[in-house]
C-alpha cells in the first residue's frame, strides 16, 4: 500500500472524527476520565470520590444543563497501562478532562501524552516536583497538565513545620533518621527533609532509602536503632502495612512520623490489626476535621456510601472534579485551551482548603498553592482506631500520644 | 551483638523459607511436578487467613486454620483443574508434559495473583501475631511470635519426617519418588499417592503462608518472589531432596540476612542469586541432589 493511500485514509478518518465531534449535541454529557489504582489503598479512592463529585454536580443541574459523566479506568499501578487508558479516554471515549493516579511515575508518564494530545490532565495524588517543574520549563507544550496535590517539597515542608510544633517544642526531640522508599516522589521529598528538618530543630543522623519491594524491615529498624534518634521521619506510600506492623511487633522504641500514605485511609487500622497505633502522618484531611465547611459532609457521605473513609486522594479528587466543572462553566466550553485558561484562574473552596494554582512564572507552575489560608494538608496520629488531628493547631482535636513501647527523650534542663 | 541479631533473625526467616520449600520439593520428588503457582497458594492462605481472623473476627488461631484450609483447597484445585488434565491429555506429547505443567501452573499462579488482587487489594496484609509481646534472647529484643514461628516451622517439618519415615503411606510416597513404576507393579494406586502428596503440599504451603502473614506480612505482589525463592532454594538444595532444601533454606536465609545487615537491605536477594548461578555451574544437581 502506498504512502499516499495511507495519508488519504488518515485524512478521511480525521475528517470523519471531526464530523462526529461536531454532531455532539448540547445535551450530551461532558465526560471526565478518571484513571485510578483500584487494587492500591491510596489509589482506590480516586474513582469513588470522582463519581461522588459528579453525582453532586448533576444533582445541582450539571454544567450549564449538561450532565457530567465519569468514565473510570484501572491502571493496575502500571505506567504503561495508564498511558493506554489515557489514549483510550481521549480517542475512544472523547473525554474533556482526565484525572489520574497517586503514583508520580504514572503521572510523569501521562504528562507528555497530555501535551501531545492537548488533553487537560490533573493528578490528584502524585507528588513529584518534576510534574509541575516540567510545566514551568516548557509552558507552551505542557500547559495542559495540572498538579492537584501538594508537591513533595511542600509535603516535606508541611511535615517539618508540623514536627517542629508537635515533637521538637513540647517533647524536646532533637534528632531524626529519614526512612524513605526509593521512588520518584521521595527524591525531592528527602532533599527538602534534609534541608528543613535541621531548621525545624531535628538533626538528621542518617538517611535511609530502601527498595519498595522490601518485605523484612528488621535490619532497617536495627540500623536506625543503632543511631538512637528521637524520631523516624518516613516517606512511604507504596509500602505501609509491613513496616508499620513490624515496627509494632518488634516494639521499636522510636516513634514514626512523616508521610505514610497508606495510613491516610481508615482501612489501615484493620490492615495492620491496630499496629498503626501511634503512627503520625501527613494527609489531606481527617474524619471529623473541618478544613472547610465541605470537609465533614464529604467524609461522612463517602463513609456512608463506601464503608470506609477516603484516603488523601479521595479528598483531592472530589475537589478536583468541582474545580474542573467550575472551569468548564467559566470557560463556557470544553475547548482544551479555554479550559486551561479558566483552570489557571481557579479560586474555589474545596474539602482540603482553598484551591488556587501557581502561575506560569512560579517554579511549580499549575501545582495547587500551598500555605495558610490555602491548602496546607494536616498531620494526624492514629490513636486507638481513630485518626486524631494534631496539626495545624487550628484544626487539632487531640494531643500526641504514643504506645507504651515508644521511649521519649528525657527532658534535661 | 550484630552477630547475635543476625543469628536470631536469620533463624526464623530461614525456618519459614524451609517450610515453604519442603512441600515444593516433596511435590517434585514424588510426582515430578514443579508447581509455579506455589507463591499464589501461599498468598491465598495469607489473605483468606487474614480475612477470617480480622473480618470474621474469629481470631488469629482459627483464622490461620481457615487460611491453611484455603491453601489446601487451592492445592487441590491446582492439581485437579490444571496439572492432572495436562498430564492426562492425549493431545500433549509425553515428553512435553513437564513443560506444559510448568506453563500451566505459571499461568495459574498469575491468575491467582490477579484474582486475589481484585478480590482483596494488592496491599500486603498481616495476621495479628499468634502471641504478642517481645522477649530478650541473649540481649536481642525478639518478638515472641518470631520464636513461635520458628518452633511451628520445625514442628511441621518434624511431623512431615515422621509421616514419611514412620507410616506406610509415607513410605509409599518415598518409594514413588524413587521408582513410581515399581510401585504400580506392586499394586499401589499412584493416583492416591499423588493425592496424598498434594494434600501434604497444600497444608505445608498453607502453614508457611499464614506464618509469613503473621511474621512479615504478605500480599499478591509477593507471589512471584515467593515462587522464585522456593524455586531457588529447591534448586540449590537439589531438586526433590527434602534435607537438601532445608540446608539450602538456611544458607539462603542467612546469606540474605547477613547481606541486609552488613551491606544494605536493598541488596538482600543478590548474593543468594549469585550463589545459585554458581551452584548451577559447578554442581548442577544441587547440594544433596541425586542426579
Amino acid at each position: 500500500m502506498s504512502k499516499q493511500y495511507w495519508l488519504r485514509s488518515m485524512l478521511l478518518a480525521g475528517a470523519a472524527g471531526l464530523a462526529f465531534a461536531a454532531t455532539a449535541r448540547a445535551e450530551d454529557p461532558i465526560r471526565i476520565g478518571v484513571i485510578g489504582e483500584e487494587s492500591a489503598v491510596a489509589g482506590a479512592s480516586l474513582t469513588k470520590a470522582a463519581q461522588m463529585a459528579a453525582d453532586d454536580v448533576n444533582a445541582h443541574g450539571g454544567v450549564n444543563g449538561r450532565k457530567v459523566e465519569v468514565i473510570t479506568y484501572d491502571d493496575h499501578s502500571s505506567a504503561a497501562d495508564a498511558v493506554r487508558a489515557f489514549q483510550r479516554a481521549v480517542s475512544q471515549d472523547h473525554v474533556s478532562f482526565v484525572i489520574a493516579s497517586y503514583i508520580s511515575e504514572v503521572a510523569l508518564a501521562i504528562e507528555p501524552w497530555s501535551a501531545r494530545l492537548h488533553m487537560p490532565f490533573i493528578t490528584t495524588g502524585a507528588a513529584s516536583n518534576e510534574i509541575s517543574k516540567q510545566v514551568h520549563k516548557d509552558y507552551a507544550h505542557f500547559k495542559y497538565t495540572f498538579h492537584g496535590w501538594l508537591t513533595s517539597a511542600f509535603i516535606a515542608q508541611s511535615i517539618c513545620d508540623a514536627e517542629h510544633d508537635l515533637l521538637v517544642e513540647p517533647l524536646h526531640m532533637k534528632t531524626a533518621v529519614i526512612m524513605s522508599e526509593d521512588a520518584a516522589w521521595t527524591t525531592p521529598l528527602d532533599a527538602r527533609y534534609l534541608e528543613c528538618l535541621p531548621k525545624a530543630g531535628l538533626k538528621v543522623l542518617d538517611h535511609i532509602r530502601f527498595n519498595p519491594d522490601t518485605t523484612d524491615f528488621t535490619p532497617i529498624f536495627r540500623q536506625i536503632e543503632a543511631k538512637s534518634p528521637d524520631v523516624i521521619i518516613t516517606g512511604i506510600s507504596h509500602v505501609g502495612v509491613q513496616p508499620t506492623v513490624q515496627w509494632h511487633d518488634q516494639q521499636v522504641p522510636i516513634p514514626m512520623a512523616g508521610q505514610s500514605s497508606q495510613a491516610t485511609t481508615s482501612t489501615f487500622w484493620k490492615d495492620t490489626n491496630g499496629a498503626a497505633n501511634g503512627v503520625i502522618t501527613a494527609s489531606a484531611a481527617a474524619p471529623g476535621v473541618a478544613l472547610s465547611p465541605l470537609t465533614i459532609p464529604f467524609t461522612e457521605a463517602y463513609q456512608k456510601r463506601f464503608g470506609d473513609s477516603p484516603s488523601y486522594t479521595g479528598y483531592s479528587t472530589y475537589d478536583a472534579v468541582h474545580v474542573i466543572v467550575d472551569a468548564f462553566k467559566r470557560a463556557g466550553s470544553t475547548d482544551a485551551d479555554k479550559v486551561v485558561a479558566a483552570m489557571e484562574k481557579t479560586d474555589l473552596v474545596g474539602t482540603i482548603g482553598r484551591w488556587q494554582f501557581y502561575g506560569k512564572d512560579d517554579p511549580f507552575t499549575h501545582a495547587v498553592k500551598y500555605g495558610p489560608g490555602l491548602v496546607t494538608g494536616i498531620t494526624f496520629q492514629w490513636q486507638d482506631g481513630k485518626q486524631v488531628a494534631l496539626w495545624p493547631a487550628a484544626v487539632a482535636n487531640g494531643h500526641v500520644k504514643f504506645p507504651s513501647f515508644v521511649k521519649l527523650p528525657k527532658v534535661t534542663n | 551483638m550484630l552477630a547475635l541479631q543476625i543469628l536470631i533473625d536469620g533463624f526464623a526467616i530461614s525456618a519459614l523459607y524451609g517450610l515453604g520449600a519442603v512441600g515444593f520439593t516433596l511435590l517434585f520428588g514424588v510426582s515430578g511436578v514443579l508447581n509455579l503457582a506455589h507463591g499464589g497458594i501461599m498468598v491465598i492462605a495469607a489473605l483468606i487467613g487474614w480475612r477470617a481472623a480480622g473480618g470474621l473476627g474469629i481470631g488469629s488461631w482459627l483464622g490461620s486454620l481457615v487460611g491453611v484450609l484455603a491453601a489446601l483447597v487451592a492445592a487441590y484445585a491446582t492439581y485437579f483443574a490444571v496439572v492432572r488434565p495436562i498430564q492426562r491429555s492425549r493431545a500433549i506429547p509425553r515428553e512435553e508434559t513437564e513443560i506444559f505443567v510448568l506453563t500451566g501452573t505459571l499461568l495459574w499462579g498469575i491468575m491467582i495473583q490477579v484474582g486475589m488482587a481484585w478480590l482483596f487489594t494488592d496491599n500486603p496484609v498481616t495476621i495479628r501475631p499468634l502471641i504478642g509481646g517481645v522477649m530478650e534472647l541473649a540481649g536481642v529484643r525478639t518478638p515472641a511470635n518470631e520464636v513461635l514461628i520458628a518452633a511451628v516451622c520445625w514442628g511441621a517439618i518434624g511431623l512431615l519426617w515422621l509421616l514419611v519415615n514412620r507410616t506406610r503411606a509415607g513410605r509409599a510416597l518415598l518409594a514413588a519418588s524413587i521408582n513410581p513404576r515399581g510401585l504400580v507393579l506392586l499394586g499401589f494406586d499412584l493416583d492416591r499417592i499423588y493425592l496424598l502428596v498434594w494434600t501434604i503440599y497444600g497444608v505445608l504451603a498453607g502453614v508457611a503462608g499464614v506464618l509469613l502473614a503473621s511474621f512479615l506480612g504478605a500480599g499478591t505482589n509477593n507471589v512471584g518472589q515467593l515462587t522464585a525463592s522456593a524455586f531457588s532454594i529447591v534448586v540449590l538444595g537439589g531438586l526433590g531432596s527434602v534435607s537438601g532444601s532445608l540446608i539450602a533454606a538456611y544458607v539462603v536465609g542467612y546469606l540474605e540476612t547477613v547481606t541486609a545487615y552488613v551491606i544494605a537491605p536493598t541488596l538482600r536477594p543478590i548474593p543468594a542469586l549469585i550463589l545459585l548461578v554458581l551452584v548451577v555451574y559447578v554442581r548442577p544437581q544441587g547440594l544433596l541432589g541425586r542426579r
Side-chain angles (χ1 to χ4, degrees):
Chain A
M1 263 173 264
S2 74
K3 229 181 189 166
Q4 268 182 339
Y5 173 86
W6 274 111
L7 200 64
R8 229 179 311 148
S9 35
M10 290 205 10
L11 278 173
L12 267 176
L18 279 177
F20 178 78
T23 56
R25 288 159 303 155
E27 310 86 70
D28 283 349
I30 297 180
R31 290 172 167 170
I32 299 176
V34 182
I35 306 172
E37 286 82 18
E38 297 303 329
S39 307
V41 172
S45 294
L46 268 110
T47 49
K48 293 185 182 128
Q51 191 57 57
M52 267 184 70
D55 293 349
D56 289 354
V57 170
N58 292 335
H60 291 92
V63 181
N64 306 328
R66 290 173 72 182
K67 285 211 176 305
V68 172
E69 187 185 343
V70 166
I71 301 179
T72 60
Y73 312 84
D74 185 359
D75 67 25
H76 309 101
S77 303
S78 140
D81 284 13
V83 167
R84 270 198 294 278
F86 188 85
Q87 291 165 338
R88 201 176 121 195
V90 176
S91 61
Q92 205 173 315
D93 297 331
H94 305 288
V95 302
S96 302
F97 214 113
V98 175
I99 301 175
S101 195
Y102 84 101
I103 302 171
S104 291
E105 284 84 347
V106 169
L108 286 164
I110 291 178
E111 194 167 357
W113 285 98
S114 150
R116 267 170 227 153
L117 302 176
H118 293 199
M119 173 52 60
F121 149 65
I122 187 167
T123 172
T124 49
S128 170
N129 292 359
E130 297 305 316
I131 298 163
S132 50
K133 270 192 182 164
Q134 201 144 245
V135 183
H136 179 69
K137 266 186 238 155
D138 188 357
Y139 176 82
H141 191 54
F142 286 110
K143 67 170 183 176
Y144 301 97
T145 292
F146 287 81
H147 189 169
W149 179 234
L150 298 178
T151 60
S152 297
F154 290 137
I155 294 174
Q157 189 59 52
S158 153
I159 288 165
C160 286
D161 294 348
E163 275 21 310
H164 173 266
D165 294 355
L166 298 172
L167 306 178
V168 175
E169 285 288 323
L171 297 174
H172 309 281
M173 293 196 183
K174 292 184 181 68
T175 53
V177 166
I178 300 169
M179 172 184 154
S180 288
E181 64 191 17
D182 203 347
W185 77 280
T186 58
T187 310
L189 182 89
D190 288 7
R192 180 61 78 94
Y193 272 161
L194 289 168
E195 196 186 308
C196 72
L197 283 174
K199 283 184 196 156
L202 289 168
K203 191 178 161 207
V204 179
L205 301 180
D206 201 358
H207 176 199
I208 298 169
R209 286 176 72 78
F210 62 86
N211 186 335
D213 291 337
T214 304
T215 52
D216 184 359
F217 289 85
T218 319
I220 297 172
F221 285 132
R222 302 271 200 219
Q223 190 185 335
I224 292 172
E225 266 192 85
K227 306 265 175 183
S228 23
D230 293 332
V231 60
I232 302 171
I233 300 291
T234 54
I236 53 178
S237 179
H238 296 269
V239 302
V241 171
Q242 285 170 314
T244 305
V245 168
Q246 291 172 33
W247 169 79
H248 173 269
D249 288 354
Q250 292 165 20
Q251 304 199 351
V252 178
I254 308 161
M256 278 208 290
Q259 173 74 53
S260 172
S261 301
Q262 294 185 9
T264 66
T265 164
S266 66
T267 57
F268 196 66
W269 186 264
K270 265 187 295 176
D271 293 344
T272 60
N273 302 308
N277 200 26
V279 167
I280 296 176
T281 180
S283 183
V289 176
L291 291 169
S292 84
L294 299 174
T295 325
I296 292 176
F298 165 69
T299 317
E300 281 171 357
Y302 186 102
Q303 198 137 15
K304 204 171 144 206
R305 183 155 164 186
F306 302 111
D308 294 310
S309 80
S311 77
Y312 74 102
T313 61
Y315 296 97
S316 51
T317 306
Y318 180 81
D319 287 358
V321 170
H322 285 285
V323 166
I324 293 166
V325 163
D326 177 57
F328 284 154
K329 281 183 186 164
R330 282 184 289 108
S333 153
T334 53
D335 174 78
D337 291 275
K338 285 183 189 156
V339 169
V340 167
M343 285 285 288
E344 288 175 342
K345 296 198 185 70
T346 295
D347 186 3
L348 193 78
V349 173
T351 59
I352 58 171
R354 187 169 163 195
W355 283 65
Q356 291 177 3
F357 293 103
Y358 287 106
K360 204 171 152 182
D361 301 322
D362 291 299
F364 296 114
T365 307
H366 284 186
V368 68
K369 279 190 189 170
Y370 168 80
L374 298 161
V375 176
T376 55
I378 68 159
T379 287
F380 71 73
Q381 183 176 37
W382 274 107
Q383 293 181 4
D384 304 320
K386 289 198 182 63
Q387 300 176 340
V388 175
L390 303 173
W391 185 91
V395 297
N397 55 14
H399 298 282
V400 181
K401 199 171 88 187
F402 290 110
S404 56
F405 63 83
V406 165
K407 303 275 178 292
L408 296 174
K410 287 192 191 73
V411 185
T412 48
N413 37 328
Chain B
M1 192 65 195
L2 184 68
L4 273 174
Q5 279 177 359
I6 293 174
L7 203 65
I8 290 171
D9 284 339
F11 189 84
I13 193 82
S14 304
L16 203 53
Y17 283 171
L19 187 64
V22 159
F24 188 83
T25 197
L26 189 73
L27 188 61
F28 177 78
V30 172
S31 69
V33 171
L34 272 176
N35 176 24
L36 295 186
H38 179 70
I41 292 175
M42 280 177 71
V43 166
I44 285 180
L47 286 169
I48 303 281
W50 165 76
R51 175 53 61 86
L56 300 179
I58 58 173
S60 297
W61 291 93
L62 273 178
S64 300
L65 191 68
V66 172
V68 173
L69 285 177
L72 186 60
V73 172
Y76 284 148
T78 311
Y79 177 50
F80 287 112
V82 182
V83 175
R84 207 162 72 150
I86 292 174
Q87 285 174 335
R88 295 195 168 179
S89 164
R90 287 167 190 279
I92 299 169
R94 265 270 158 268
E95 62 276 14
E96 287 175 17
T97 308
E98 280 188 14
I99 206 82
F100 270 82
V101 168
L102 270 183
T103 319
T105 53
L106 177 69
L107 295 176
W108 175 239
I110 295 171
M111 281 189 245
I112 292 177
Q113 177 175 0
V114 177
M116 289 316 246
W118 179 72
L119 275 177
F120 298 90
T121 63
D122 64 3
N123 221 43
V125 297
T126 52
I127 295 177
R128 191 189 293 274
L130 299 168
I131 46 173
V134 290
M135 50 171 75
E136 296 279 329
L137 280 185
V140 178
R141 196 184 65 243
T142 313
N145 196 45
E146 191 175 327
V147 179
L148 178 76
I149 283 169
V152 171
C153 286
W154 278 102
I157 293 165
L159 281 178
L160 178 69
W161 186 85
L162 283 180
L163 181 79
V164 171
N165 291 293
R166 291 281 181 271
T167 65
R168 194 178 140 81
R171 288 192 191 137
L173 272 188
L174 213 54
S177 73
I178 297 164
N179 187 346
R181 179 164 300 206
L183 216 59
V184 176
L185 291 176
L186 286 172
F188 280 86
D189 183 0
L190 266 185
D191 273 346
R192 283 184 58 190
I193 289 174
Y194 288 162
L195 194 61
L196 175 65
V197 75
W198 276 95
T199 309
I200 295 172
Y201 166 76
V203 171
L204 289 175
V207 172
V210 294
L211 290 182
L212 180 68
S214 103
F215 183 27
L216 300 176
T220 55
N221 285 338
N222 303 132
V223 165
Q225 177 63 39
L226 289 171
T227 305
S229 108
F231 191 76
S232 348
I233 287 168
V234 165
V235 170
L236 190 62
L239 274 167
S241 161
V242 171
S243 32
S245 294
L246 286 176
I247 294 171
Y250 271 81
V251 170
V252 169
Y254 274 113
L255 207 53
E256 285 190 2
T257 312
V258 169
T259 312
Y261 273 98
V262 181
I263 307 171
T266 307
L267 299 178
R268 186 182 182 114
I270 308 284
L273 293 175
I274 294 173
L275 177 69
L276 183 67
V277 172
L278 288 179
V279 164
V280 170
Y281 267 125
V282 180
R283 196 181 155 78
Q285 71 272 44
L287 298 175
L288 297 184
R290 287 193 300 256
R291 277 167 282 171

